Amino acid sequence: MYRSNTCGELNASHIGKEVTLSGWIQKIRDKGFVAWIDLRDRYGITQLVFDEDRTSKELLELTRTLGRETVIQIKGEVIERASKNKNIPTGEIEVLVSKLTVLNESLLPPFTIEDETDGGEDIRMKYRYLDIRRNPVKENLIFRHKVSMEVRKYLSDQGFIDVETPYLIKSTPEGARDFVVPSRMNEGQFYALPQSPQTFKQLLMVGGMDKYFQIVKCFRDEDLRADRQPEFTQIDCEMAFVEQEDILNTFEGLTKHLLKEIKGVEVDNFPRMTFDEAMRRYGNDKPDIRFGMEFGELNEVAQHKDFNVFNSAELVVGIAVPEGNSYTRKEIDKLTDWVKRPQVGALGMVYCRCNEDGTYKSSVDKFYDQEDLGKWAEVTGANAGDLICVLSGDVTKVRAQLSALRMEMAERLGLRKADEFTPLWVIDFPLLELDEETGNYHAMHHPFTSPKPGQLELLDTNPGEVKANAYDLVLNGNEIGGGSIRIHDKETQATMFKHLGFTTEEAKAQFGFLMDAFQYGAPPHGGIAFGLDRLVSILGGQETIRDFIAFPKNNSGRDVMIDAPANLDEEQLKELNLKLDL
Ligand code: ASP
C-alpha cells in the first residue's frame, strides 16, 4: 500500500493516527537538529517533521540527501503542530516520520514548482508535465473536468446520447484548411481529419438517434492566434424534429446550468439580437454587452456641413466613452494613434469633449457648432464628462474599427469584469458571405445551414440578403457556441451547393453520401456546437484557452514537448508512397 491518506486530507481529527503518505518533495527546511519537508500530491501539502530526539539521527541525515521533486513514501504519526498554518487544510498537523523510502529521484526541475514560477512559457511547455504539478495549471485541468462532467450530466439527463464519430474522414468544409492523413492501404489517397463532425451528426439524425452529443476533438489548419489551437474540443450536439426555438431553449438551459453549478450565478433569460442589430449597435456579431458604449450612427447629424471626410463616408459612427473628458490632449492623440495602427486600420479619429458645463469642444469645431455637437451627444448617449469618439468610412470596416476601440476602452476602464456573465443569442445571420478577393459567396456558417423560410428564391436575385436559420451563443464578447437548423432535403441542398460554386459532379463526389441519405426520410433537424476550451477559460475567468489544455500547441502549431510535427524517415515515406518536394 503506497498510502493510507492523501497529502490534502489530514487534520486535527487524525492526531495520534499512524499514516502512510506518498508524494513529491516540495520544500525542505533544515534547522540542524530538526528538519521539515513539505510533501505534495494532487490533493495538497502535508508537513513532515524529522528531529534527532523523536525520530532518529539517521532519518534526519537522510533528509539532507534529498532534493526537490524526489518521490518519497513515509510512515509516521500525525501530531499537533506547534505553529499552525490556518491557510491550508492540513495546517494544524504535521507527521512525525518514522520511516522514509525514496520511490524515485528527480533531477533539479528547470523551473520552480510554485504558484508563481520563475519559468517562462517556452520552458514550461517543454516540461509541461512539471508545469501540471503547479497549482494554477492543475486547478485549471480539474476545473475543465468539472465543466465537462456537468455538460455530460445535463445533456444525458435531457436524453442526449453520446455517440463517437470517426476522425479519419473525408473533408467537411467549416471554413478552414484540412489536416490530412495519408492512407497506406489506399495508394495516393488521403483522409481528412474532421473540422467538426457536422455531416456525421446529421447522418445520426437520419439514423433516428434523435438527440446526439459528443465532447470531441476537431482539427482546423488555420493561422493561429493566441486563443486558437489547431486541435480543439467542441461540445457537439444535434437534435431531430426541432425548430430554432427548441434548440435555443435547450442550450440556453445547458448554459444556465453551467453558470449555476460552476459559478453559482443565476442569469435571466438570454436576450436575443439579430445579426443586423448587433452590427448596428456594437459593430460586432459577438458583442460584449456587460457594458454600454453603444454605437450612435451620426450620418444624419454630421453630413450637412463642409467636412468632406464625413460627407464622403458611407458611415459616420461614434461612441461615448464614460468619463473620457478627463483624457488630456496628449492621451487623445495616443488614442488616435491606437486606432490608426494597422491592426485596427482607421484613417483618423474625430473627438468631441462633453464639458461639465454642458458645452462641447471637438476636434472639428471649424465645421460643427454647439447645436450640431449636442446632437452627436444625443445620438451617442453622451453625458457631461464623456468623450465622444467618432470614426467614418466604409460601413463594414468602420464598424470593425469602432468595435475594436469600444473593447479597448472597456478594457482600460475595467468594464470587462471576469466575474460578470452576460450571455446573449445572436440570430438571423446572413446565409452567405461575399469573399471580397474572389467575388464568390461562401456559406457564412457552413453549407448545410438552411435559409429562413421563404428566402430560397432570393438566392438567385440577391444572395447577400438571404438570412439563415443560424444562431450564435455569445458570452462576454466571445462566441461560445454556434449552430443552425439544417437543410434536410436533397433539392435544397443541391441548390445550396450550386450557389456555393460546386458543379453537380463536384457536389456529388464530395457530399453524395449526405444527399443520398436525405432521400431516405431525413427528419427536420438542427444543432449547435460549443467551443469547450473557450467556454472553460471564460468560466474560469481567464483569457487564454492554452491554460486549460493539458498539452497545448504553441503559436506555430508545435508541441515543443514531444517535438511535433516532425520529419518522417525514408522508410515510412516509401510505405506511404509519398515523395517530398520541398
Ligand atoms: N459544425 C458547426 C461548427 O463547428 C456547428 C454546428 O453547426 O452545429 O461550427
Side-chain angles (χ1 to χ4, degrees):
M1 186 180 70
Y2 278 111
R3 56 188 175 189
S4 61
N5 296 84
T6 70
C7 296
E9 75 177 304
L10 298 173
N11 56 42
S13 73
H14 299 92
I15 289 170
K17 191 178 168 207
E18 278 295 320
V19 294
T20 309
L21 301 179
S22 292
W24 288 263
I25 294 179
Q26 171 84 22
K27 204 161 55 189
I28 305 181
R29 269 164 302 140
D30 189 353
K31 283 265 161 94
F33 59 95
V34 51
W36 292 273
I37 289 181
D38 280 352
L39 189 67
R40 181 191 72 237
D41 66 9
R42 190 185 104 196
Y43 309 94
I45 284 183
T46 298
Q47 180 167 299
L48 313 176
V49 60
F50 304 78
D51 71 34
E52 286 177 344
D53 308 332
R54 292 179 298 172
T55 52
S56 74
K57 214 175 166 92
E58 292 73 47
L59 259 185
L60 190 58
E61 288 299 324
L62 178 59
T63 64
R64 301 201 166 116
T65 66
L66 304 171
R68 275 195 284 133
E69 299 307 311
T70 303
V71 187
I72 60 172
Q73 181 195 45
I74 61 95
K75 289 186 194 308
E77 183 192 340
V78 181
I79 61 172
E80 188 175 359
R81 250 202 237 189
S83 62
K84 302 194 171 40
N85 178 352
K86 293 263 180 268
N87 296 324
I88 59 169
T90 60
E92 289 187 319
I93 56 96
E94 57 193 354
V95 176
L96 186 62
V97 175
S98 54
K99 183 163 183 236
L100 186 155
T101 314
V102 172
L103 298 177
N104 209 346
E105 289 180 350
S106 172
L107 293 176
L108 188 67
F111 50 87
T112 54
I113 313 290
E114 304 277 352
D115 291 8
E116 297 287 339
T117 177
D118 55 357
E121 171 105 1
D122 291 349
I123 193 91
R124 286 192 290 111
M125 288 302 148
K126 184 158 164 52
Y127 298 91
R128 184 64 162 172
Y129 46 89
L130 295 179
D131 204 24
I132 291 171
R133 288 186 197 164
R134 295 172 52 240
N135 277 321
V137 184
K138 177 191 79 185
E139 294 302 336
N140 282 355
L141 294 182
I142 295 173
F143 183 77
R144 182 184 177 113
H145 160 80
K146 277 192 195 142
V147 175
S148 52
M149 287 308 282
E150 286 303 330
V151 169
R152 289 181 193 284
K153 222 182 337 181
Y154 183 86
L155 291 175
S156 183
D157 286 350
Q158 298 285 322
F160 284 80
I161 305 292
D162 181 355
V163 183
E164 288 172 67
T165 52
Y167 281 161
L168 296 177
I169 66 163
K170 197 152 79 170
S171 165
T172 311
E174 296 268 1
R177 245 172 261 120
D178 287 321
F179 282 102
V180 295
V181 180
S183 165
R184 180 184 55 82
M185 288 192 283
N186 303 273
E187 265 177 43
Q189 295 194 311
F190 293 80
Y191 300 101
L193 299 179
Q195 294 185 31
S196 89
Q198 183 60 37
T199 48
F200 287 96
K201 64 175 174 175
Q202 293 191 238
L203 293 169
L204 286 170
M205 295 304 106
V206 183
M209 283 309 293
D210 202 60
K211 289 176 169 182
Y212 142 93
F213 89 102
Q214 187 183 186
I215 295 185
V216 62
K217 275 286 170 76
C218 301
F219 307 86
R220 297 185 190 177
D221 189 0
E222 297 178 287
D223 292 335
L224 301 178
R225 290 194 239 118
D227 58 348
R228 286 249 175 102
Q229 286 278 308
E231 54 175 310
F232 60 97
T233 309
Q234 282 190 347
I235 307 165
D236 193 43
C237 309
E238 196 77 3
M239 302 168 83
F241 302 111
V242 285
E243 293 172 339
Q244 175 167 303
E245 194 60 30
D246 303 302
I247 305 258
L248 300 194
N249 287 333
T250 304
F251 293 97
E252 184 161 326
L254 169 65
T255 312
K256 282 182 177 169
H257 175 81
L258 294 177
L259 285 171
K260 181 149 176 268
E261 295 303 318
I262 305 286
K263 302 303 293 184
V265 175
E266 304 227 18
V267 283
D268 289 338
N269 290 343
F270 301 180
R272 295 180 189 182
M273 200 181 287
T274 64
F275 171 86
D276 288 346
E277 188 184 349
M279 295 309 286
R280 192 165 31 78
R281 288 171 61 186
Y282 300 98
N284 197 318
D285 62 1
K286 40 180 191 297
D288 190 338
I289 57 167
R290 279 174 294 183
F291 53 91
M293 280 196 270
E294 282 192 32
F295 284 19
E297 298 195 347
L298 298 168
N299 289 31
E300 260 177 47
V301 295
Q303 287 185 323
H304 62 300
K305 293 288 171 75
D306 288 337
F307 187 45
N308 266 336
V309 175
F310 281 1
N311 292 349
S312 61
E314 214 182 336
L315 179 66
V316 182
V317 58
I319 50 171
V321 176
E323 314 288 334
N325 195 20
S326 61
Y327 269 50
T328 61
R329 176 62 205 267
K330 223 167 147 191
E331 284 170 324
I332 297 178
D333 286 347
K334 271 207 185 140
L335 206 56
T336 309
D337 290 341
W338 189 89
V339 295
K340 283 162 80 175
R341 293 177 325 148
Q343 296 94 316
V344 182
L347 292 176
M349 183 180 91
V350 165
Y351 68 85
C352 171
R353 294 177 173 283
C354 304
N355 297 323
E356 294 298 341
D357 63 6
T359 61
Y360 302 100
K361 174 89 193 75
S362 83
S363 55
V364 282
D365 278 351
K366 218 162 79 189
F367 302 101
Y368 298 98
D369 59 24
Q370 292 291 308
E371 196 186 330
D372 294 326
L373 299 174
K375 288 192 184 135
W376 293 18
E378 209 175 290
V379 175
T380 56
N383 295 313
D386 293 356
L387 179 75
I388 305 173
C389 300
V390 183
L391 302 182
S392 62
D394 164 78
V395 175
T396 316
K397 284 193 188 137
V398 86
R399 279 180 173 163
Q401 292 157 358
L402 193 62
S403 170
L405 178 64
R406 175 177 176 267
M407 296 298 268
E408 173 69 15
M409 296 318 293
E411 194 69 54
R412 292 189 193 182
L413 291 165
L415 301 174
R416 305 194 66 198
K417 299 197 181 88
D419 57 353
E420 215 176 281
F421 295 94
T422 316
L424 84 148
W425 289 106
V426 176
I427 56 174
D428 298 354
F429 274 80
L431 185 70
L432 303 172
E433 192 176 27
L434 187 65
D435 181 332
E436 302 274 348
E437 266 174 39
T438 61
N440 295 334
Y441 279 100
H442 292 307
M444 188 150 182
H445 188 51
H446 51 55
F448 317 106
T449 296
S450 71
K452 287 234 162 259
Q455 301 226 328
L456 200 57
E457 295 67 40
L458 259 183
L459 267 180
D460 286 318
T461 51
N462 208 345
E465 288 303 307
V466 180
K467 295 285 188 251
N469 265 323
Y471 32 78
D472 274 359
L473 183 56
V474 175
L475 181 60
N476 296 358
N478 297 278
E479 178 205 326
I480 58 162
S484 61
I485 297 296
R486 325 298 185 191
I487 296 167
H488 66 278
D489 68 279
K490 189 181 172 187
E491 281 68 44
T492 312
Q493 190 62 71
T495 309
M496 191 62 197
F497 283 136
K498 194 181 89 201
H499 279 91
L500 293 172
F502 287 81
T503 63
T504 314
E505 293 70 41
E506 282 167 347
K508 194 164 178 335
Q510 240 185 305
F511 299 108
F513 63 95
L514 187 69
M515 292 198 283
D516 285 348
F518 284 174
Q519 291 176 295
Y520 291 95
H525 60 285
I528 192 167
F530 287 73
L532 180 67
D533 310 287
R534 187 157 311 153
L535 176 64
V536 170
S537 76
I538 297 171
L539 292 175
Q542 293 179 31
E543 292 285 317
T544 50
I545 63 173
R546 246 204 295 250
D547 296 342
F548 290 86
I549 297 174
F551 299 105
K553 308 254 185 303
N554 72 9
N555 279 347
S556 332
R558 295 200 72 83
D559 182 324
V560 291
M561 182 181 66
I562 61 172
D563 198 18
N567 298 328
L568 291 186
D569 61 35
E570 272 307 316
E571 238 350 82
Q572 245 175 324
L573 285 172
K574 219 155 112 202
E575 208 170 43
L576 294 166
N577 298 297
L578 291 180
K579 262 207 193 82
L580 298 183
D581 179 14
L582 299 173

